Amino acid sequence: MVTTLINSQQNTWSDVFSTQNGAVYQSDAERCWYVDFAGKVAKFDYRCLLKLKKAVYNVDIEAKLLETSKDPDVEILFICACDHCYILSLLQIIALKELLEGTFVMLQLNHILQDKLYRLAV
């Protein structure tokens, strides 16, 4: 199922992957991705989307859950060379990780399908 959204500037966004906590959209016209998560929609190019994925994967969730100190269970994700910063709880980090995992699986699946279809056509 492909869902498209049209923003106020009349650009079409295609739904790449979504969960009940957020969604990732692709804009072919702008050659970027929009991540709708934690109450904000952030624009990322592919390089910054990979940096976001790396930052989320580097959070040791298990260690944070086993920690007995009274520090707040909040993580600040700042992505170098990007304009966006996320301040997330551990549950939000798990939800964002799920969203990014699904997104990259869909992108990889799309690449495999395009590769197979192109090979059959040639």
Side-chain angles (χ1 to χ4, degrees), residues 7 9 11-13 27-34 43 45:
N7 68 1
Q9 298 170 344
N11 293 326
T12 304
W13 297 356
S27 173
D28 289 334
E30 297 179 80
R31 296 180 185 212
C32 66
W33 282 265
Y34 288 92
K43 179 180 176 180
D45 62 3

Side-chain angles (χ1 to χ4, degrees), residues 13-119:
W13 297 356
S14 299
D15 187 11
V16 176
F17 185 76
S18 61
T19 64
Q20 67 186 82
N21 296 312
V24 176
Y25 304 101
Q26 180 179 2
S27 173
D28 289 334
E30 297 179 80
R31 296 180 185 212
C32 66
W33 282 265
Y34 288 92
V35 177
D36 181 6
F37 187 79
K40 79 176 194 178
V41 178
K43 179 180 176 180
F44 291 95
D45 62 3
Y46 188 70
R47 179 180 50 93
C48 289
L49 192 64
L50 287 173
K51 287 182 179 186
L52 175 64
K53 177 184 171 189
K54 183 177 179 182
V56 170
Y57 278 52
N58 283 338
V59 176
D60 190 359
I61 297 169
E62 184 177 346
K64 294 273 187 191
L65 290 172
L66 294 175
E67 206 174 84
T68 58
S69 67
K70 294 194 177 207
D71 294 336
D73 293 336
V74 174
E75 193 73 26
I76 299 173
L77 299 177
F78 176 76
I79 301 109
C80 237
C82 296
D83 297 335
H84 307 290
C85 176
Y86 288 97
I87 302 172
L88 303 172
S89 69
L90 289 179
L91 290 176
Q92 289 174 316
I93 291 171
I94 293 169
L96 182 57
K97 187 174 184 178
E98 177 188 5
L99 180 66
L100 292 174
E101 282 176 349
T103 298
F104 281 96
V105 165
M106 288 298 134
L107 292 175
Q108 186 177 15
L109 179 62
N110 185 38
H111 176 51
I112 291 169
L113 290 174
Q114 291 291 333
D115 186 47
K116 296 296 181 189
L117 290 173
Y118 180 72
R119 283 188 188 177

